[in-house]
Structure formats: structure tokens, C-alpha cells
């Protein structure tokens, strides 16, 4: 009796050792220096997306959470055309960027190489979703945490196939072992890359790709037409601008305290409190960015490798030291002691803003990973100089306010130059993500971008110059009102610029689907 088609298929799988369709899996035991990895054979994938569905069902994920995604690319010219699929989940990298950057140590790399996410310890900061150059971790709105593929480690441990491997009807996805040293040395360059995927050497991704031999030189992503703004991250917009303002204000306070030794106006506790105020407001706001804001303090767990942990610790210490500095002024502690304390506080604040900038110096976000990010973050401190200058006018200390206004405009000029230069860099860039960032500026935020520059010009230069004329003319009330309006305008302009910083970034990611894009928020 002839076998049925199903029996024939089962017999074929058994004789060839195919992993697909089998509940059990026979993976060789790991030798020294080896780990498990995925092997994706693009010559077999038919784009049915069974792997996506099986993964979601196995892990009880809603339809908008995809741990494994199927992307589409096309290339060639008629009649020699090619439609290429890429099914990808976590690449279980040797040097995972998610693990290195996670502030709560929620990522663990098992001895078998699997990169596992510990859900209970996650605070939903989503820094790993920024860090991963392959766009793997995904934020789970209902659970308020990040989740990702773990290679069905609990099934693998008992000899069962991962859901995606079992569901693939064409045997395009398999589990295999890899020698880490050999992979690093050479094989990663020939077997670890896929068109429109970040270079495997960024994190030493371990996924093994098999591609068609006659692959066209140019492959176009099926979702090339998809372009939408990134998340605005409003809590971070306010937090970053306000903490940078505090650093500028405290720097002005410190310089003023030094100059008081030479007969200039001596700062008081009110000015010290004013320098603290923006950071005291901004730092709590940052917790609203988290999926689990009540666990914000655990963001300082990974000081060894995470810039986010370092920023949280340094800026928290900066705010605390500024608070103590208010007490030093209030109780009239000796100037020499105060200056030593202020110098230490300023260094902590400087490091805090440096760590803040380094959070965004990540290869996965090309528009952020530029020296202009560091320059802009530090020169945004000019807003704090204007804040202290306004307070000096209120205290009728015009002689001290005038030179501070000049210094503030000089730093603002530097800030404007760095910002303009960063925008111009987009125009000459050949990097696809930067080209798309420029498109977002022009197609989605042209009016806001123009308004930002207009408010910056008026708030940071036109009105401050008018203020100096009013000061010279003895019109104190007019100078206070004018500078107050200027401060409001320039702060709003910086909030707009920071909003654009977040919304116009375009991450590295795999090719997506024609209709669904990369299936990432």
C-alpha cells in the first residue's frame, strides 16, 4: 500500500533529520567554547509566517508583539528577479548590546549562549530596544516591560523543538551549535550577514544565514516606503533639557562665588535653590518614561557597563549635592569650604550630562550616534546662564547680570552652530537612516523646525541684546520682563529641538513587510 502524502513527508523528515515538524530535537551537546544559535536558510523560506504565529502562540503574546518577524526584500531586473525573505528573532549575540546597556541587569547570557530576559526585574525603560541594532527587544504595553525571544530554552532543555523550528514547513529555521572562537575569527563575515541587517560584528551576532548564490547586488526592502516618526519620549525631553539647564545655572553660581572674592555680588541660597530647581523638576519626570516608574531606583544596578545606570546615579548625586549646597549658603558656611564643595558638585554634574549624552551614542541609532549629540547636550547649558542672569536682574545686580548675559549668548551661539551643523550633516549623508531622518524633518516637522529656529533666534539673541540696552538705560523693569520672555522662548525652543531629536531618529533594523513594516512601534 502506497503511503499517504503526510506519511511520505514524515518519512522524508525522519530520513533526512529535518528539525521542522518534530516535537523532539536532537542537538549535539555543547563542547568547550560553543553555544546554540539559529540557522536560517533563505533559500528555503517561502514567507508563510508560520514561525511568527507559532512563536506568539507558544509565548502567549498578543498579535502586535512579535519576537520573530519575517521581512521581505526584492532585487534583480525582469525576468531575473528575486524575492528574498528573512525570518529573524533574537540573534543571541556573543556581546549583546541589550545586556551591556540594561540598567537593571535584566539580561542574562546562559552558559549555552542563549540571551535570556528576566521579566520580573525589568522596569520598562526600553533602553535595550534602542541599543539592539537588529530591533529585537520589543516593549509589551500590557505588561509594561520589554520582552524578547529566548529560543524556547525551557523546551530545548528537555529535548523539544523551539516553536518556530517546529512550525516551519520548509525547514528554513534550525538550531545548531557554533564554536565562538571560530565564528569570531572568520565565519561571521561570510555567514553572519543578511541584506539590510546591521553588520554582525557590531555585537557578534551568532545567527547563521544561508543566502542564494546568485543574490543581486542591490536588494530593496519591501517596506522602504514606510516612514513614521519615532516615539516622542516627552518625559525625557523635559528631563534632559532641565538637567542641562541646571548644570549651566550651577556653573554660573560657582563662577559667581569665585568672583565674589574679588568684590562682585556674592550668590545666596535663593540662587543656589534656583540652580537646583530645573533638575529637581526634571529628574522625577523621567520616571514617567518607565513602564514601572515605582521601580525607578533599580535603574542604578549596572554601573559597570550601562550608561543609563551611570546617568541615573550621577544626576541623582548632582541633585543631592546641589540640595546640600543650598544649605551651605543658607547657614553661611565659609566661602572656601563652599567653593571646594561646589567644584566637586560641578564635576559630578558634568559627568552626569556626559553619561546622559553617551546613552544616545549607540550604533543602532545613527542620528544620535554623532559627536553633535555630546556638543548639543553640553551647550544647552546656556539656558541655565540666562536663568541666573534673570535672577540677578531681579536682585538689582545689573553689573553681574551684564557679563553673564554676554557669556550666555556666546554659549548659545556655539549651541546654534552645533545644531545647524548636525542638521546640515544629514543633507550630505549617504547613510539611509540619516536620509530618512532628514525626510522626517522636511515632511513631518518642517513647521515645528522653523518655529524652533525662530524662537531660538529671538529668545537667545534678539531679546537678550535688547535687555542689555535696557540695563544700560537704567530701565530695570523693562530689562526683567524682556529677559523673562527671552528665557521662556529659548526654553520652549530647546524643548522643541529635543522633541525633534527623539521623533526623527530612524533605527537600524531588518527589512520589514510591504504592509506591516518592521512590526515595531
Amino acid at each position: 500500500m502506497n503511503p499517504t502524502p503526510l506519511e511520505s513527508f514524515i518519512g522524508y523528515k525522519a530520513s533526512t533529520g529535518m528539525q521542522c515538524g518534530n516535537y523532539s530535537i536532537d542537538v549535539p551537546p555543547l563542547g568547550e567554547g560553543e553555544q546554540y544559535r539559529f540557522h536560517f536558510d533563505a533559500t528555503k523560506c517561502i514567507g508563510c509566517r508560520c514561525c511568527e504565529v507559532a512563536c506568539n502562540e507558544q509565548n502567549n503574546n498578543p498579535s502586535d508583539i512579535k519576537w520573530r518577524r519575517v521581512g521581505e526584500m526584492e532585487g534583480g531586473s525582469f525576468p531575473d528577479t528575486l524575492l528574498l525573505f528573512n525570518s529573524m528573532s533574537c540573534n543571541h549575540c556573543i556581546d549583546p548590546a541589550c545586556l551591556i546597556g540594561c540598567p537593571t541587569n535584566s539580561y542574562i547570557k546562559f552558559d549555552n549562549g542563549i540571551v535570556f530576559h528576566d521579566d520580573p526585574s525589568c522596569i520598562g525603560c526600553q533602553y535595550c530596544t534602542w541599543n539592539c541594532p537588529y530591533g529585537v527587544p520589543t516593549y509589551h504595553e500590557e505588561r509594561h516591560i520589554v520582552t524578547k525571544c529566548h529560543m524556547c530554552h525551557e523546551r530545548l532543555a528537555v529535548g523539544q523543538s523551539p516553536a518556530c523550528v517546529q512550525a516551519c514547513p520548509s525547514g528554513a529555521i534550525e538550531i545548531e551549535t557554533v564554536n565562538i572562537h571560530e565564528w569570531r575569527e572568520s565565519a561571521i563575515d561570510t555567514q553572519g550577514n543578511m541584506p539590510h541587517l546591521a553588520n554582525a560584528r557590531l555585537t557578534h551576532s551568532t545567527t547563521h544565514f544561508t543566502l542564494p548564490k546568485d543574490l543581486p547586488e542591490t536588494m530593496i526592502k519591501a517596506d522602504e516606503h514606510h516612514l513614521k516618526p519615532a516615539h516622542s519620549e516627552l518625559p525625557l525631553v523635559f528631563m534632559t533639557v532641565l538637567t542641562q539647564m541646571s548644570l549651566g545655572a550651577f556653573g554660573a553660581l560657582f563662577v559667581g562665588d569665585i568672583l565674589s572674592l574679588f568684590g562682585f555680588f556674592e550668590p545666596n541660597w535663593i540662587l543656589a535653590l534656583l540652580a537646583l530647581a530645573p533638575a529637581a523638576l526634571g529628574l522625577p519626570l523621567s520616571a514617567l518614561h518607565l513602564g514601572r516608574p515605582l521601580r525607578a531606583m533599580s535603574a542604578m544596578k549596572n554601573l559597570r557597563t550601562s550608561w543609563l545606570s551611570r546617568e541615573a546615579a550621577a544626576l541623582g548625586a548632582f541633585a543631592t549635592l546641589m540640595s546640600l549646597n543650598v544649605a551651605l549658603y543658607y547657614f553661611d558656611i565659609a566661602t572656601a569650604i563652599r567653593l571646594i564643595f561646589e567644584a566637586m558638585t560641578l564635576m559630578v554634574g558634568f559627568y552626569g550630562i556626559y553619561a546622559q549624552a553617551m546613552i544616545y551614542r549607540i550604533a543602532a541609532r545613527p542620528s544620535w550616534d554623532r559627536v553633535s549629540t555630546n556638543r548639543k547636550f553640553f551647550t544647552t547649558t546656556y539656558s541655565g546662564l540666562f536663568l541666573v542672569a534673570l535672577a540677578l536682574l531681579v536682585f538689582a545686580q545689573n553689573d553681574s547680570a551684564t557679563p553673564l548675559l554676554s557669556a550666555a549668548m556666546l554659549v548659545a551661539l556655539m549651541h546654534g552652530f552645533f545644531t545647524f551643523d548636525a542638521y546640515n550633516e544629514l543633507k550630505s549623508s549617504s547613510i539611509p537612516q540619516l536620509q530618512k531622518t532628514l525626510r522626517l524633518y522636511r515632511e513631518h516637522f518642517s513647521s515645528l523646525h522653523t518655529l524652533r529656529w525662530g524662537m531660538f533666534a529671538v529668545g537667545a539673541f534678539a531679546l537678550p541684546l535688547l535687555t542689555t540696552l535696557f540695563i544700560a538705560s537704567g530701565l530695570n523693569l523693562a530689562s526683567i520682563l524682556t529677559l523673562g520672555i527671552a528665557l521662556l522662548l529659548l526654553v520652549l525652543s530647546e524643548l522643541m529641538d529635543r522633541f525633534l531629536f527623539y521623533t526623527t531618529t530612524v533605527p537600524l533594523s531588518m527589512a520589514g513587510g510591504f504592509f506591516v513594516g518592521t512590526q515595531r512601534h
Side-chain angles (χ1 to χ4, degrees):
M1 182 177 179
N2 293 328
T4 65
L6 178 60
E7 290 172 337
S8 177
F9 180 57
I10 293 173
Y12 173 76
K13 287 191 301 177
S15 64
T16 58
M18 290 177 66
Q19 294 180 5
C20 71
N22 291 318
Y23 284 100
S24 61
I25 187 171
D26 185 18
V27 177
L30 293 174
E32 185 178 353
E34 291 185 336
Q35 72 162 73
Y36 292 128
R37 70 172 177 189
F38 283 111
H39 174 204
F40 174 68
D41 190 339
T43 65
K44 295 180 180 179
C45 181
I46 59 175
C48 66
R49 300 181 185 271
C50 285
C51 52
E52 285 188 358
V53 176
C55 179
N56 271 29
E57 289 183 349
Q58 170 66 30
N59 296 289
N60 197 29
N61 284 329
S63 60
D64 62 329
I65 301 295
K66 292 288 193 301
W67 289 3
R68 177 169 286 277
R69 296 168 290 160
V70 176
E72 308 163 22
M73 293 159 279
E74 54 190 26
S77 56
F78 183 81
D80 299 318
T81 60
L82 174 68
L83 179 61
L84 184 71
F85 296 101
N86 177 19
S87 174
M88 193 187 77
S89 58
C90 180
N91 294 310
H92 300 283
C93 306
I94 297 170
D95 301 306
C98 55
L99 183 151
I100 293 169
C102 179
T104 56
N105 286 321
S106 295
Y107 284 91
I108 305 164
K109 189 166 177 66
F110 292 157
D111 292 339
N112 59 13
I114 294 174
V115 178
F116 176 77
H117 181 263
D118 179 54
D119 293 352
S121 63
C122 179
I123 60 175
C125 71
Q126 304 171 59
Y127 189 35
C128 56
T129 67
W130 294 355
N131 258 325
C132 177
Y134 312 105
V136 169
T138 180
Y139 183 68
H140 198 303
E141 295 279 356
E142 296 176 9
R143 299 177 62 194
H144 308 292
I145 60 170
V146 169
T147 59
K148 65 173 284 294
C149 156
H150 44 58
M151 204 185 277
C152 292
H153 70 98
E154 73 286 358
R155 293 169 61 93
L156 207 58
V158 294
Q160 295 180 1
S161 304
C164 56
V165 173
Q166 180 186 328
C168 180
S170 59
I173 309 172
E174 292 184 334
I175 302 296
E176 61 185 25
T177 61
V178 59
N179 182 284
I180 295 173
H181 177 73
E182 292 176 0
W183 182 249
R184 278 179 181 268
E185 286 299 306
S186 60
I188 189 172
D189 296 315
T190 57
Q191 301 176 4
N193 291 305
M194 164 72 75
H196 295 293
L197 200 61
N199 192 299
R201 284 205 176 272
L202 279 177
T203 58
H204 294 102
S205 161
T206 63
T207 299
H208 173 196
F209 293 103
T210 297
L211 301 174
K213 293 182 179 179
D214 55 347
L215 192 68
E217 289 186 10
T218 302
M219 297 295 295
I220 301 172
K221 295 195 296 184
D223 64 330
E224 190 64 37
H225 58 290
H226 283 260
L227 182 64
K228 61 180 182 179
H231 196 280
S232 60
E233 313 291 0
L234 285 178
L236 299 184
V237 168
F238 281 91
M239 185 274 286
T240 54
V241 170
L242 290 175
T243 50
Q244 290 154 24
M245 177 186 280
S246 265
L247 180 64
F250 191 83
L253 183 77
F254 176 60
V255 173
D257 212 7
I258 294 175
L259 292 177
S260 70
L261 299 175
F262 303 97
F264 285 85
F265 171 72
E266 183 177 356
N268 53 36
W269 70 270
I270 297 177
L271 280 179
L273 184 63
L274 190 66
L276 165 67
L281 175 63
L283 287 174
L285 283 177
S286 66
L288 299 179
H289 164 74
L290 305 178
R292 295 172 168 175
L294 296 181
R295 301 186 183 183
M297 294 302 291
S298 62
M300 292 180 277
K301 282 184 179 179
N302 188 13
L303 294 173
R304 189 172 63 87
T305 64
S306 174
W307 282 111
L308 183 54
S309 286
R310 295 166 186 169
E311 179 218 30
L315 290 182
F318 180 49
T320 301
L321 292 172
M322 283 196 293
S323 301
L324 294 175
N325 194 56
V326 174
L328 295 182
Y329 275 100
Y330 187 81
F331 292 107
D332 199 23
I333 302 300
T335 303
I337 296 174
R338 200 168 59 222
L339 284 173
I340 294 172
F341 186 83
E342 285 174 337
M344 179 180 66
T345 303
L346 191 61
M347 287 189 288
V348 172
F350 187 92
Y351 179 77
I353 299 303
Y354 175 73
Q356 188 177 80
M358 293 306 294
I359 288 173
Y360 302 95
R361 295 301 303 275
I362 48 179
R365 306 267 169 157
S367 66
W368 292 351
D369 191 23
R370 299 184 289 166
V371 69
S372 59
T373 297
N374 301 67
R375 291 170 175 171
K376 287 172 62 178
F377 274 34
F378 275 107
T379 53
T380 302
T381 55
Y382 82 89
S383 56
L385 304 184
F386 278 115
L387 177 64
V388 174
L390 177 61
L392 290 173
L393 289 180
V394 172
F395 291 139
Q397 297 297 323
N398 296 358
D399 291 342
S400 298
T402 302
L404 185 56
L405 276 176
S406 300
M409 285 188 281
L410 180 61
V411 179
L413 184 63
M414 295 169 58
H415 178 74
F417 173 78
F418 294 144
T419 304
F420 185 72
D421 186 58
Y423 180 74
N424 274 344
E425 185 183 342
L426 300 176
K427 298 178 182 179
S428 58
S429 177
S430 60
I431 300 173
Q433 288 76 22
L434 294 185
Q435 292 174 344
K436 288 186 175 182
T437 291
L438 181 61
R439 281 183 55 198
L440 285 171
Y441 269 105
R442 290 174 170 174
E443 297 173 14
H444 291 262
F445 300 111
S446 178
S447 297
L448 184 65
H449 191 217
T450 302
L451 180 61
R452 178 272 195 270
W453 278 110
M455 294 177 71
F456 174 70
V458 174
F461 300 106
L463 291 182
L465 287 171
L466 185 59
T467 299
T468 58
L469 292 177
F470 287 149
I471 293 173
S473 303
L475 302 174
N476 290 342
L477 181 59
S479 65
I480 292 172
L481 293 176
T482 304
L483 191 56
I485 295 171
L487 181 64
L488 177 62
L489 290 177
L490 66 89
V491 169
L492 287 175
S493 77
E494 292 310 321
L495 292 173
M496 290 178 188
D497 187 68
R498 199 56 49 83
F499 172 84
L500 292 171
F501 174 81
Y502 287 109
T503 55
T504 60
T505 188
V506 178
L508 301 179
S509 186
M510 65 179 286
F514 182 85
F515 294 106
V516 296
T518 58
Q519 302 182 73
R520 287 291 183 263
H521 299 296

